[in-house]
Amino acid sequence: MKIAFIFPGQGSQSVGMMNHYSELPSIRETFDEASNILQQDLWSLASSGPADSLNLTINTQPVMLTADIALYRAWQQAKGSQPHYLAGHSLGEYSALVAAESLSLSDALKLVRHRAEVMQETVPEGTGGMAAIVGLDDDTISSVCTEVVNALPDTSLEPANFNAPGQVVIAGHSRAIAQAVTLAKSKGAKLAVTLPMSIPSHCSLMRPAAEKFALMLDKTTFHPPQIPVLHNVDVQAHPEAASIREILARQLYSPVRWTETIQTIAALGVGHVVECGPGKVLSGLTRRIDKSLENIALTDSSSLLKTVETLR
């Protein structure tokens, strides 16, 4: 029986998201460790917020990384089976690399904090954004983006997250996003809504950010992953440090190919997919992508301990 662990990223955070894991000692221990590294009280952000502060990209990214790894450490402490494959959605890819022992938690925290900073600096607030479109196929959504860009000179708009069949996030300039939402609805989208994000992730507007971020990646130590990590950009595992650095820089301006990631996990013979992080956003996507996979969200202490026993 093969197991894959998937790690959520930005969008899965909520105030109080770690309150259901209070019986697991690694949770607070990991948050204390991360808080010391960044000299910021991440536990307070996760447990008390306020939501506006937690949802700031510069805070969300290190908090979610810490939450993912805290749960993975709890899994290990409970003698859970080692997964055969790892993957992370966008930011979650850094959690996967820490779990694979390719990247230390300290270096990962510093990277994601810097990643958030360069992303926000590159596109000033109000200039760019993202929108979710549900109910249209990938080709139709791509054509919506092309039509809007042709109608609005000097704008950028692209598919950013291929999350599941019929569920795609687009990213680009704010005025292009607004027009695309209207156009998608006219083409029959069940839902087309602007997301509360000021940063247009995973699109060409992030190329300058990727160039800045690459400088820090070059100074960071990566080790060969002890567990294969499927990366967002190309749905491939990269065993060498140089290729991991390159793929993480490209990730900033490349779409997240999540549908293909889950399909590849299934094709590799995986039977159980475990969402290792707060919430169950990725479990919902997995069900939409491949109903044959048994997917489990570690939503609280009891579900984690039960899953350890089930998959042992």
Side-chain angles (χ1 to χ4, degrees):
M1 175 179 58
K2 289 185 178 180
I3 305 166
F5 267 48
I6 55 176
F7 297 88
Q10 203 160 346
S12 288
Q13 76 278 2
S14 62
V15 175
M17 62 187 180
M18 305 309 294
N19 293 350
H20 302 298
Y21 308 99
S22 57
E23 302 148 38
L24 305 171
S26 70
I27 302 300
R28 190 59 187 266
E29 290 169 2
T30 304
F31 268 86
D32 288 346
E33 178 186 344
S35 296
N36 288 333
I37 290 166
L38 293 183
Q39 291 297 293
Q40 181 183 11
D41 189 350
L42 301 181
W43 180 258
S44 178
L45 268 174
S47 59
S48 305
D52 287 349
S53 295
L54 177 61
N55 291 336
L56 288 173
T57 296
I58 196 170
N59 291 329
T60 307
Q61 296 202 15
V63 168
M64 280 303 302
L65 169 65
T66 303
D68 289 355
I69 296 306
L71 284 177
Y72 189 69
R73 287 178 174 180
W75 176 269
Q76 291 177 307
Q77 287 182 358
K79 311 277 191 228
S81 301
Q82 178 170 294
H84 297 82
Y85 299 98
L86 304 170
H89 190 280
S90 187
L91 170 71
E93 196 162 291
Y94 291 83
S95 302
L97 287 167
V98 174
E101 300 179 33
S102 176
L103 189 59
S104 71
L105 177 59
S106 177
D107 284 342
L109 284 164
K110 293 168 187 174
L111 278 175
V112 301
R113 169 58 58 80
H114 184 61
R115 180 179 184 264
E117 290 171 347
V118 297
M119 289 171 74
Q120 189 67 77
E121 290 167 4
T122 298
V123 180
E125 192 163 352
T127 305
M130 305 182 79
I133 300 176
V134 176
L136 297 179
D137 61 53
D138 294 354
D139 289 342
T140 301
I141 292 172
S142 294
S143 70
V144 165
C145 292
T146 301
E147 191 172 334
V148 169
V149 169
N150 289 339
L152 296 175
D154 301 319
T155 62
S156 175
L157 184 66
E158 302 152 53
N161 295 359
F162 293 99
N163 284 333
Q167 187 170 331
V168 175
V169 173
I170 59 175
H173 285 105
S174 297
R175 61 194 184 105
I177 290 284
Q179 188 154 323
V181 165
T182 301
L183 182 59
K185 289 177 181 176
S186 74
K187 291 183 178 289
K190 295 178 182 176
L191 177 70
V193 59
T194 302
L195 298 175
M197 296 180 69
S198 61
I199 297 175
S201 303
H202 305 296
C203 72
S204 57
L205 291 179
M206 284 292 119
R207 281 184 179 272
E211 292 175 8
K212 295 177 185 176
F213 188 50
L215 299 176
M216 187 168 182
L217 286 168
D218 287 342
K219 298 174 185 175
T220 303
T221 299
F222 288 87
H223 303 283
Q226 298 303 297
I227 304 170
V229 176
L230 297 178
H231 290 269
N232 293 177
V233 172
D234 58 2
V235 200
Q236 299 289 326
H238 290 264
E240 297 177 354
S243 60
I244 294 172
R245 291 188 184 98
E246 179 191 0
I247 214 74
L248 290 177
R250 287 173 55 196
Q251 192 216 50
L252 283 181
Y253 60 82
S254 302
V256 174
R257 294 163 58 181
W258 194 250
T259 300
E260 291 174 79
T261 298
I262 297 301
Q263 290 170 340
T264 299
I265 284 172
L268 288 166
V270 169
H272 292 79
V273 178
V274 178
E275 181 172 1
C276 187
K280 47 187 177 180
V281 171
L282 298 185
S283 296
L285 296 179
T286 300
R287 280 192 293 274
R288 290 177 61 107
I289 296 166
D290 191 329
K291 290 182 173 58
S292 71
L293 290 168
E294 183 74 31
N295 67 94
I296 304 164
L298 307 180
T299 54
D300 53 28
S301 301
S302 61
S303 65
L304 185 147
L305 297 173
K306 181 181 178 182
T307 304
V308 166
E309 293 301 320
T310 300
L311 299 184
R312 180 166 286 160

